[in-house]
Amino acid sequence: MLSQSSTQSLDSPARIGQTPERLDHAQALALAGRLDTSALMREAAALRNRGFGSVVTYSRKVFIPLTQLCRDVCHYCTFAQTPKHIPQAYMPIDEVLRLCHEGAALGCQEALFTLGEKPELRYKAAREALAELGFATTVDYVIEVARRVLAETGLLPHINAGNLSRDELLALRDVSASMGIMLESASTRLCEKGMPHYGSPDKDPATRLATLDLAGELNIPFTSGILIGIGETRAERIDSLLALRDSHERFGHLQEVIVQNFRAKPHTKMAQAPEPDLEELLWTIAVARLVFGAEMAIQAPPNLSPGVLERIVDAGINDWGGVSPLTPDHVNPEAPWPHLDTLARETAAAGKYLDQRLTLYPRYILQSSRWLSPTVRPAVLRQCDADGYAKRDDWIAGVSEQAPTAFPASALAPSERLLEVLARCREDAAQDKSTVTEEDIALLLSSRGADFDAVVKAADALRAERCGDTVSYVVNRNINYTNVCYFKCQFCAFSKGAASENLRGKPYDISAEEISRRCSEAWQRGATEVCMQGGIHPDYTGQTYLDILNTVRAATPDMHIHAFSPLEVWQGAATLNLPLREYLERLKLAGLDTLPGTAAEVLHDEVRATLCPDKLNSAQWLEVMQAAHEVGFKTTATIMFGHIDSVQHWAHHLHAIANLQRQTGGFTEFVPLPFVAHEAPMYKKGQARRGPSYREALLMHAVPRLVFNGLIDNIQASWVKMGRAGVAACLNAGANDVGGSLMNESITRAAGAAHGEEWTPAAIEDTLIAYGRTPRMRTTSYADAPAERRATARQAVGLQIIELQPAMKSQRSKVIAAIGSAPAPATELNTGTPA
């Protein structure tokens, strides 16, 4: 996934905690003298809100105690055991995999590996068990188990394996999404005789900090934190936090800082030691937030402080850590995880929305090419959304027949800033202003919880005001005249070139006679529009497109021709050495009526540099659209989203469309096109997400309704991308149009979609009536379809089966050889493309 040019990188000061309020070491240490916990909490909460807004996160995990043998003897620990007190030295791989499969079925996405450190250096039983398993060291076994978990269950390993060498860290990086080591304390005093870390060589602070630094050098997202109440002073706690901050400021790799409170456990040397009280925990959380600033994730385990979670949120945390619906906390077995519904409720009581993250935090996912091994990155991209949070639904664009269950209504109020942006969306339309910024649009597109509810409701209200309960559609036929293309768009499974034989279908090039036949058949079935696009065939010129128009116009004089993407127009003008406007005029004279706004993908050149590097850039796409509007064409506008893009990229795209529409008024509709990933080359290579989440797909219909208020009245839901159930949800989220009946949809099906190639007018109308809406058959220009066309469309017979001719030179002419000659009979050819 790409980083965003509109946001700061992980290396920038604001991204690593060096905010203007950053405390230097002396100022941080001075916090030890502050006793006003309530005031500290207010300051910390304000910082947290600035960095994380209204969201508090958690990771749904499976806890894997791979071995409880450990060479250390920490005086508070019950996790570490001796060989005689456990049934086996190491969990077998099959048992780990079983747990992970069960966890995956419960929505878990993290496999937390926790284990004792280097038990083979202390216990013969560990050495013998490793030898029997075929491994030399515990870390070698961890590497193999994590590799199997990643490959076979989809869960993302997070590995807490203690102090590690450079080679061990590198090997583990290839099988895990993140790692961690609790510093616990930077105080060497706690390692002295009589103190809790005495006799535990791996708890030496310098050794642990060296592992932390090594992880930073190797670009490994890392977790660390402190354990409070084990004999340290407040000043020593701050020293520990500063040691962690120093490492993070060198490398930018520390994902989160955990503040964990000591719990006394029976049968340990510290069984009678006093536990830190709530005041001590709250003070420490607040100080950690002040030391690290607004951007660092500060975490406190919820199971260690039952009944006071609201207070902990108030102290400045933004994360609860890993919570398992399946496995206990093996380190603190006396403290069960809160039920996730309870955790969400108590988080909401503190005014925050509980959302799920992966083991890797969002800001690292957004720069995953730096922070993840190529062997791990595909698994992470499959499970994340555009913001880098967990994709919480199983909905897949173009494939899922059923929509996810309705989002639960949030008990929280929408944020003040979001309400202010929603108000400006209305004010801009009423007062002919333009105050909504890219940042505002990104806020709307990122909305979750109560903010999401507010965006969808506001969009639906605007839809009702501007369009009523009428839902329009057009009877049309898609004709994709060739799938041969010399461009190398990384998302496209439709085009065929020299390196794409592994993709669906064979290269084809439709003859002029077949184009004519399909247009005539479409007219006979009630169509008012033929929509034509294709690959950029290396032998096509601008004259080819003019010939196509002549062929269609001769076959169906009254058909509306909606054809040629901006890329085809640009290429056509270039091959004839014509200025863009002059070529557009020629297309108009030849019979072209309107242009589709495809080939836009995402109008941000950072995305396009990877997604479609040899295609039009953003400015060129907008230039074609502006020129088309200026010569009198109406066009549509689209976005193809949910792959390597981010909400900032989407916001840039919507802002650019709005700006052009204010200048020209030429866009008739906006069409969100969720990325269909299944057969897309970049997804198959593990370089893209699996399409947008369902929440994102709904927002991409709702937010344009708000941003384009007073500019573009028609928001279309694509049934081939969203499915029937998804269309129904979009119609309650701002959409008022369901596009075309299509007759021969092929591009989305080539990418792996399964929603069919035609939605007949009768089926469309029956469905919309069932949704409680009034169907309206329209023309391309959104006028009512003529009564004759309506009657014909309702009585249409089935389509004639199509034969796709191979891409031969004889097919490249788009002029019918002899006027009046009958087109060749069409027979079935099972190619996997239009049929």
Side-chain angles (χ1 to χ4, degrees):
M1 193 180 302
L2 299 170
S3 61
Q4 302 92 50
S5 60
S6 56
T7 59
Q8 292 154 310
S9 75
L10 289 174
D11 300 316
S12 67
R15 187 56 76 181
I16 59 174
Q18 293 180 342
T19 63
E21 296 80 13
R22 180 186 180 277
L23 304 176
D24 62 26
H25 275 230
Q27 291 169 323
L29 288 168
L31 294 173
R34 285 190 60 178
L35 305 179
D36 48 343
T37 301
S38 295
L40 286 171
M41 289 171 63
R42 286 193 295 272
E43 295 169 27
L47 264 183
R48 182 270 319 281
N49 291 345
R50 197 175 76 201
F52 296 92
S54 62
V55 174
V56 170
T57 51
Y58 77 101
S59 173
R60 193 178 294 220
K61 71 179 179 183
V62 174
F63 196 127
I64 300 169
L66 199 61
T67 180
Q68 291 185 261
L69 299 179
C70 183
R71 74 164 176 169
D72 296 315
V73 290
C74 301
H75 297 183
Y76 46 77
C77 181
T78 56
F79 177 79
Q81 299 290 323
T82 58
K84 66 180 181 181
H85 288 112
I86 54 176
Q88 56 194 10
Y90 295 89
M91 279 184 74
I93 290 182
D94 288 346
E95 185 177 344
V96 173
L97 294 174
R98 177 186 59 78
L99 266 182
C100 289
H101 282 299
E102 290 178 12
L106 294 172
C108 296
Q109 293 171 300
E110 173 187 344
L112 171 64
F113 285 73
T114 296
L115 53 144
E117 291 204 41
K118 303 177 180 64
E120 66 271 24
L121 299 182
R122 179 175 182 180
Y123 295 113
K124 180 181 178 183
R127 294 190 292 274
E128 291 175 344
L130 286 170
E132 186 174 344
L133 290 166
F135 299 94
T137 68
T138 297
V139 171
D140 290 340
Y141 186 56
V142 173
I143 293 167
E144 175 60 15
V145 178
R147 184 190 67 79
R148 295 279 302 275
V149 166
L150 182 67
E152 298 178 32
T153 75
L155 269 62
L156 304 175
H158 172 89
I159 296 174
N160 292 335
N163 295 302
L164 297 164
S165 69
R166 178 182 293 271
D167 288 345
E168 288 171 333
L169 284 166
L170 281 172
L172 288 167
R173 187 179 191 269
D174 283 339
V175 295
S176 65
S178 58
M179 298 183 226
I181 185 171
M182 284 291 283
L183 174 60
E184 298 191 3
S185 177
S187 172
T188 57
R189 185 177 62 83
L190 299 185
C191 297
E192 295 174 359
K193 190 170 185 179
M195 300 304 285
H197 290 156
Y198 180 71
S200 301
D202 296 301
K203 291 303 174 75
D204 171 57
T207 305
R208 296 179 92 72
L209 288 169
T211 294
L212 191 66
D213 279 356
L214 266 179
E217 291 177 16
L218 300 174
N219 289 327
I220 297 172
F222 230 63
T223 290
S224 193
I226 61 174
L227 179 62
I228 70 167
I230 58 174
E232 81 291 349
T233 66
R234 284 184 168 184
E236 286 173 329
R237 283 180 212 161
I238 296 172
D239 271 332
S240 301
L241 294 170
L242 288 171
L244 294 175
R245 192 180 78 175
D246 289 346
S247 180
H248 180 59
E249 289 184 346
R250 286 192 292 272
F251 304 107
H253 66 308
L254 196 57
Q255 293 198 104
E256 64 187 350
V257 173
I258 304 170
V259 178
Q260 182 172 331
N261 47 313
F262 160 71
R263 296 283 297 266
K265 297 174 175 62
H267 313 299
T268 66
K269 291 185 178 181
M270 295 182 68
Q272 303 304 313
E275 296 178 351
D277 60 19
L278 178 60
E279 178 85 1
E280 201 68 27
L281 177 60
L282 298 176
W283 181 93
T284 308
I285 291 170
V287 166
R289 171 61 67 197
L290 296 176
V291 168
F292 279 94
E295 300 294 333
M296 176 59 72
I298 303 295
Q299 178 193 122
N303 59 317
L304 301 186
S305 303
V308 294
L309 299 188
E310 185 176 345
R311 298 288 310 282
I312 289 175
V313 174
D314 291 343
I317 70 151
N318 64 282
D319 189 82
W320 292 120
V323 178
S324 180
L326 178 67
T327 52
D329 179 352
H330 291 277
V331 173
N332 298 283
E334 79 289 353
W337 304 114
H339 191 281
L340 288 170
D341 288 343
T342 302
L343 187 62
R345 190 165 51 250
E346 296 197 35
T347 303
K352 301 296 178 185
Y353 173 70
L354 183 67
D355 208 347
Q356 188 173 335
R357 62 167 172 84
L358 303 179
T359 180
L360 193 69
Y361 273 77
R363 64 184 183 270
Y364 293 86
I365 291 176
L366 295 179
Q367 293 194 353
S368 59
S369 59
R370 172 185 173 186
W371 293 103
L372 288 174
S373 165
T375 59
V376 178
R377 188 169 179 250
V380 172
L381 294 181
R382 279 195 297 271
Q383 300 189 53
C384 72
D385 67 15
D387 281 317
Y389 288 89
K391 183 178 183 290
R392 298 175 68 174
D393 57 64
D394 294 326
W395 183 81
I396 301 172
V399 175
S400 297
E401 291 289 346
Q402 299 301 317
T405 55
F407 295 93
S410 173
L412 302 174
S415 65
E416 290 183 9
R417 185 175 169 224
L418 181 120
L419 292 175
E420 185 267 332
V421 173
L422 292 178
R424 278 195 284 114
C425 288
R426 283 185 170 273
E427 291 167 4
D428 280 5
Q431 302 173 20
D432 194 24
K433 298 189 302 184
S434 174
T435 66
V436 176
T437 66
E438 285 186 38
E439 184 181 2
D440 295 331
I441 299 171
L443 176 73
L444 298 175
L445 290 165
S446 295
S447 60
R448 298 168 188 272
D451 285 0
F452 170 82
D453 294 343
V455 168
V456 170
K457 288 175 183 176
D460 193 44
L462 267 182
R463 182 272 312 159
E465 292 174 20
R466 301 198 74 93
C467 307
D469 285 337
T470 297
V471 177
S472 54
Y473 70 96
V474 63
V475 179
N476 66 350
R477 183 167 204 165
N478 270 21
I479 300 178
N480 304 119
Y481 30 76
T482 184
N483 63 355
V484 177
C485 187
Y486 65 83
F487 283 84
K488 300 177 177 64
C489 301
Q490 293 301 300
F491 61 87
C492 186
F494 172 75
S495 69
K496 299 294 175 283
S500 57
E501 288 297 321
N502 61 314
L503 301 178
R504 283 187 175 189
K506 299 295 182 183
Y508 72 81
D509 193 4
I510 296 173
S511 68
E513 287 77 12
E514 176 63 10
I515 292 173
S516 176
R517 187 199 70 78
R518 292 193 198 183
C519 291
S520 297
E521 183 181 39
W523 185 260
Q524 293 162 12
R525 298 181 83 243
T528 59
E529 171 197 302
V530 60
C531 178
M532 297 189 298
Q533 299 172 86
I536 308 300
H537 195 298
D539 290 339
Y540 280 18
T541 69
Q543 185 59 46
T544 307
Y545 303 122
L546 295 169
D547 292 343
I548 289 172
L549 292 172
N550 291 328
T551 295
V552 174
R553 191 55 72 211
T556 50
D558 296 325
M559 185 77 82
H560 183 106
I561 304 177
H562 182 66
F564 312 137
S565 71
L567 177 60
E568 290 171 294
V569 173
W570 185 278
Q571 188 252 10
T575 56
L576 296 183
N577 295 313
L578 291 175
L580 192 57
R581 288 176 64 96
E582 183 177 339
Y583 184 61
L584 284 162
E585 293 282 9
R586 289 197 185 186
L587 291 172
K588 191 174 185 181
L589 188 63
L592 181 62
D593 293 300
T594 56
L595 281 77
T598 49
E601 324 318 347
V602 176
L603 294 174
H604 196 298
D605 288 340
E606 184 178 49
V607 175
R608 300 177 81 83
T610 300
L611 191 71
C612 46
D614 51 355
K615 212 168 191 174
L616 297 180
N617 62 35
S618 300
Q620 290 167 332
W621 188 93
L622 292 165
E623 182 183 349
V624 175
M625 290 286 97
Q626 181 170 354
H629 297 167
E630 289 172 350
V631 302
F633 283 116
K634 294 292 187 181
T635 76
T636 63
T638 66
I639 183 171
M640 194 275 292
F641 65 103
H643 32 80
I644 59 173
D645 43 1
S646 72
V647 293
Q648 284 78 18
H649 298 131
W650 301 345
H652 185 84
H653 182 109
L654 297 185
H655 197 255
I657 296 291
N659 284 342
L660 182 55
Q661 182 72 343
R662 287 189 186 93
Q663 296 175 48
T664 67
F667 292 120
T668 57
E669 67 195 61
F670 183 76
V671 190
L673 301 172
F675 172 54
V676 178
H678 188 65
E679 294 291 335
M682 63 182 178
Y683 177 72
K684 295 180 76 159
K685 295 173 186 175
Q687 296 170 356
R689 301 194 302 278
R690 200 179 184 182
S693 69
Y694 190 64
R695 179 189 64 86
E696 291 169 333
L698 293 185
L699 283 171
M700 192 56 83
H701 293 78
V703 174
R705 169 64 66 191
L706 298 164
V707 173
F708 299 150
N709 184 27
L711 296 173
I712 303 174
D713 277 344
N714 300 300
I715 307 298
Q716 183 183 119
S718 168
W719 59 267
V720 296
K721 313 282 189 180
M722 295 297 303
R724 311 300 197 268
V727 164
C730 291
L731 293 175
N732 290 314
N736 68 296
D737 186 84
V738 296
S741 57
L742 300 184
M743 296 191 197
N744 289 120
E745 198 292 316
S746 59
I747 293 176
T748 304
R749 289 191 301 123
H755 293 316
E757 62 177 323
E758 181 179 24
W759 195 8
T760 65
I764 291 174
E765 296 203 358
D766 289 346
T767 301
L768 294 177
I769 291 169
Y771 292 162
R773 299 296 174 86
T774 302
R776 180 176 74 90
M777 187 187 296
R778 63 168 174 87
T779 65
T780 310
S781 58
Y782 281 82
D784 290 341
E788 178 274 329
R789 294 284 82 197
R790 282 186 51 80
T792 303
R794 294 285 295 190
Q795 299 168 9
V797 298
L799 285 165
Q800 192 172 354
I801 296 173
I802 290 173
E803 177 182 4
L804 291 175
Q805 297 293 338
M808 307 289 287
K809 286 186 177 180
S810 60
Q811 306 292 338
R812 292 176 195 171
S813 170
K814 301 307 177 191
V815 178
I816 294 178
I819 300 298
S821 62
T827 57
E828 182 173 13
L829 180 64
N830 184 15
T831 63
T833 50

